Structures are given as C-alpha cells and as structure tokens.
Amino acid sequence: MIYPPEISVVLPVYNGEKHIKNCILSILNQSFKNFELIIINDGSTDQTVSLISSFSDDRLKLVTQENTGIGGALRRGCNVAVGKYILRIDADDICLPNRFIVQKHFLDSRPNVVMLGGASIYVDEEGLEIGRSYPYTSNFILKSMLIKYSPFCHPTVIFRKNAYIEAGGYQALEPLEDVDLWLKLSKLGEIKNLCSPVIKNTIVGNSISRSISIK
C-alpha cells in the first residue's frame, strides 16, 4: 500500500459472522490495490472479530468499540480514514472486482462530482442472484428525490473526504444518517449514480444498516 492510500473503505459490522469473510475477500481482491480497509466492529458478540483477525493484510485496520449504532460506527470509521475518497460497503454485501477502479476513475475525471453511487445485483442469503437495481443517474433528479427519500443504495457510495469533512460528516440520526449526509453533500457539488452494478447486495441479512432500515 502506498501511503496515504487513495481510497479508504469504511465497513461497519455488528454480528456479521455469516457474511463478513466473503465481504473482506471481495475488497482485498480488488483490481485496484492502493486502499485501506477500516472495519468498525460495533460491539459484535459472535465470531465476527475472530474471522476478521484471520486475515493478514497491512491494508486492514480493525477498530472495536461498544455498540453505538451505524451512525456512530460510520463517523468513527470516516474520522480514521486518510484516503482522498471514502468508499462504503456493508458486511453482508460483495464488491464486484473492478468496483474501486471504476468509481475512482469516474471521480478523478469529474472534479465537480462529490458523491457517486451505483447499481446493485440483488442476491439472497445464499448468494443466488434474484434481480438488480436500475438507479436514477441524473444530478438534477437525484437532488430532487432527496427531499423525500434516498435514491442511493448506501453500500454502493463513494465520496470525497474533503467534501465529507466540509459537510460535517455522519450524524447519529438513525435511520436517516445517510440521507442527512447526502443532502449536505449535494449542496457542495454534483451527485451521481452509475447505471452499472458495483456490488452484490444481500436483500435479507443482519447488517447494522439494514436492521435499522427494517425497523
């Protein structure tokens, strides 16, 4: 890893033993290599920490804390991040192999874009594909939609660290910590979605973000 890395991956996890290993493998095996992986263990009580500790890679940083919820976990992870870009993923999702290079290239070539999401391939808990998303991509439409709800799949998002800091970061506003940040980022520049998938998104699971969304 070249220091500082260009991308900081922020991965919060709570009791994610079923999927965390495959999620980490999908990150470490990316075609783009210059990144750090910051895993925030948000008070897990299962084998999550043991599984994370089984990886030997100097790009992986494990931070363990008492359970605070996803807003607090994300804020801590982003505060630790040193990359130019912060990229999000959840513990029960899988990054497609070229995700990092595709999203990084998009932001590198469009300095006016502060945040970028993407489409998802939907899978069940056994990993079987059951569909995909077709997100809106227009900056104008996305900003208009934010007034009512989030048009972004949270674990597909990557954003600029400097814009994140200027926006004030994630707040403990579950389940609206993502929409709150997107609204603030949208005032600093353009927001976009890629029409092509960047992750495999597990639609039923125990990720801390999804459990809050269900409630």
Side-chain angles (χ1 to χ4, degrees):
M1 178 178 70
I2 301 172
Y3 194 87
E6 293 189 75
I7 294 174
S8 294
V9 183
V10 175
L11 166 57
V13 59
Y14 172 71
N15 288 350
E17 64 181 4
K18 184 172 183 179
H19 300 287
I20 187 66
K21 187 172 183 178
N22 286 334
C23 178
I24 293 173
L25 285 170
S26 77
I27 295 168
L28 298 182
N29 292 330
Q30 284 288 305
S31 58
F32 180 79
K33 304 299 183 183
N34 189 25
F35 63 85
E36 62 175 351
L37 169 57
I38 302 167
I39 302 179
I40 306 299
N41 170 43
D42 195 38
S44 296
T45 57
D46 61 1
Q47 295 302 307
T48 293
V49 173
S50 177
L51 290 167
I52 295 170
S53 299
S54 69
F55 287 90
S56 179
D57 192 305
D58 62 4
R59 294 173 296 180
L60 192 158
K61 301 176 181 178
L62 173 61
V63 179
T64 295
Q65 63 181 30
E66 294 183 3
N67 184 266
T68 63
I70 189 171
L74 288 173
R75 188 173 182 87
R76 186 167 186 185
C78 291
N79 286 345
V80 173
V82 297
K84 178 180 179 181
Y85 302 122
I86 295 177
L87 181 144
R88 277 280 292 111
I89 187 66
D90 283 337
D92 52 2
D93 297 324
I94 298 292
C95 290
L96 297 184
N98 294 320
R99 176 189 176 180
F100 291 12
I101 191 66
V102 168
Q103 291 192 297
K104 175 185 175 300
H105 175 73
F106 190 99
L107 292 179
D108 283 346
S109 60
R110 297 167 178 81
N112 55 316
V113 176
V114 295
M115 184 178 78
L116 176 67
S120 304
I121 297 172
Y122 297 132
V123 298
D124 63 19
E125 286 197 284
E126 304 307 317
L128 297 176
E129 295 185 12
I130 55 178
R132 60 154 292 178
S133 67
Y134 294 90
Y136 289 101
T137 60
S138 161
N139 172 64
F140 175 78
I141 293 176
L142 291 171
K143 287 186 176 182
S144 300
M145 295 174 73
L146 277 175
I147 299 172
K148 296 183 178 180
Y149 67 94
S150 174
F152 294 93
C153 175
H154 197 165
T156 71
V157 164
I158 182 173
F159 45 82
R160 299 180 188 276
K161 175 70 183 289
N162 61 353
Y164 171 85
I165 293 172
E166 186 175 351
Y170 284 106
Q171 303 297 321
L173 297 171
E174 293 88 346
L176 300 176
E177 77 290 330
D178 54 348
V179 180
D180 172 69
L181 180 59
W182 308 162
L183 280 166
K184 292 183 291 187
L185 287 172
S186 72
K187 297 176 182 178
L188 303 177
E190 293 187 13
I191 54 177
K192 295 276 191 177
N193 265 322
L194 295 174
C195 60
S196 55
V198 296
I199 68 168
K200 290 185 178 181
N201 182 226
T202 306
I203 62 168
V204 178
N206 195 37
S207 69
I208 53 178
S209 60
R210 191 165 293 107
S211 64
I212 291 171
S213 296
I214 290 170
K215 291 177 184 178

